[in-house]
Amino acid sequence: MNQIRVLPLENVHNFRDYGGYSVAVGGKIKRGLLWRSGEHGGASEADLSAIAALELATVIDLRGNGERAANPCRRPQGFAAEVLFHDGETAGLALHVEAAQGVINEAGARAAMQRLYQDIAFRPNLIPILKRYFAALASRDGSSVVHCLAGKDRTGFAVAMLHHALGVHRDDIMADYMLTNVAGNIDRRIAAGASAISDKYGAMDDATVRTLMGVEAAYLEATFAAIEQRHASVDAYLAEVLGVGEAERSVLAERFVD
């Protein structure tokens, strides 16, 4: 497989390989097995062909029922992957849409995103699908893709937790998270987000929308700080909340680290 990180798709945004990073015990996460993205509802025929070439075995859809009904994913011909999801809501609204409520400017958008990130690890309606994500990676063979609506907040958090579980350095965890701001057709992704936000809350200026549709290091740092405040460490959070203790981490490392 061509060892690219960002898959240059037309209408599926932020589609990229989150393998390839070094881990603390030595070695690197395998490439071509772990993919992340935004939702696939607007996938073009070319997008579907590119996704089919990945031969996905598992799709972990972090969206809730309402989001999936509003934006059902298109699938390639012959699609055979198992799609895992939580039968309920996982966020009510995607975080960037939720953050937009009552926001009038860029500073307000930034503050709202940071507040939501302080709570993302503890949302009772999101934790069940995060558990399924880890369980699927520990038990299912083949490649997978994890996605939400924009592929940046819920997906970004899930990926950060897997990276930590595998022993990726915090700097590389952050680097992968920040790739959202440069991966793929940024203007098209922001335009799609702006449409969803304006449909719900009315028009917003470009700087505010870009803040909502992008990521900042302070957002993920707020999550780590909240986890460490409540559970003392990310390791403890993984074990106590997501059921990913030392044994589960060993299984994941055996499957995904070379």
Side-chain angles (χ1 to χ4, degrees):
M1 175 179 290
N2 182 23
Q3 295 298 289
I4 58 173
R5 183 169 296 283
V6 178
L7 201 62
L9 303 181
E10 295 173 343
N11 297 324
V12 180
H13 303 299
N14 207 8
F15 202 118
R16 47 195 170 94
D17 185 339
Y18 60 100
Y21 295 102
S22 298
V23 302
V25 297
K28 292 185 176 183
I29 301 176
K30 298 174 184 178
R31 297 293 303 269
L33 289 177
L34 297 168
W35 298 89
R36 54 176 291 180
S37 76
E39 55 89 13
H40 303 188
S44 67
E45 291 303 316
D47 292 343
L48 294 177
S49 294
I51 292 170
L54 301 179
E55 299 181 344
L56 296 171
T58 309
V59 176
I60 305 98
D61 188 341
L62 302 179
R63 300 176 302 163
N65 289 346
E67 293 173 287
R68 291 186 297 104
N71 292 286
C73 287
R74 296 194 68 203
R75 305 299 188 190
Q77 186 174 5
F79 178 79
E82 182 172 356
V83 180
L84 305 177
F85 58 90
H86 175 60
D87 187 12
E89 300 303 338
T90 64
L93 296 170
L95 262 69
H96 64 279
V97 180
E98 184 176 340
Q101 184 174 9
V103 164
I104 59 172
N105 55 34
E106 181 181 357
R110 181 171 292 110
M113 289 297 296
Q114 192 160 338
R115 284 195 303 272
L116 289 172
Y117 265 81
Q118 289 172 343
D119 185 56
I120 192 172
F122 312 107
R123 290 187 170 217
N125 50 359
L126 181 57
I127 288 170
I129 189 59
L130 292 173
K131 289 181 175 180
R132 293 197 73 184
Y133 164 66
F134 277 100
L137 294 184
S139 62
R140 294 183 56 80
D141 294 331
S143 60
S144 66
V145 62
V146 58
H147 75 88
C148 52
L149 184 65
K152 68 185 190 73
D153 300 319
R154 286 167 289 182
T155 298
F157 173 66
V159 168
M161 290 300 98
L162 179 66
H163 278 160
H164 180 93
L166 292 174
V168 176
H169 192 277
R170 184 72 64 89
D171 290 348
D172 287 332
I173 293 175
M174 187 64 73
D176 187 85
Y177 173 75
M178 294 296 291
L179 278 177
T180 283
N181 293 337
V182 296
N185 189 325
I186 305 304
D187 289 336
R188 184 174 292 181
R189 179 172 63 82
I190 290 172
S195 177
I197 290 168
S198 64
D199 285 348
K200 190 165 187 66
Y201 301 119
M204 293 185 180
D205 66 84
D206 183 68
T208 301
V209 171
R210 287 180 178 273
T211 299
L212 293 167
M213 291 305 300
V215 296
E216 298 185 9
Y219 302 166
L220 192 57
E221 287 168 356
T223 300
F224 280 119
I227 287 172
E228 289 160 0
Q229 181 179 25
R230 294 199 196 186
H231 292 272
S233 70
V234 179
D235 291 349
Y237 167 80
L238 284 167
E240 294 165 7
V241 178
L242 300 185
V244 184
E246 290 186 11
E248 291 79 11
R249 291 170 71 168
S250 294
V251 170
L252 291 166
E254 184 176 343
R255 294 175 71 87
F256 293 109
V257 176
D258 269 338

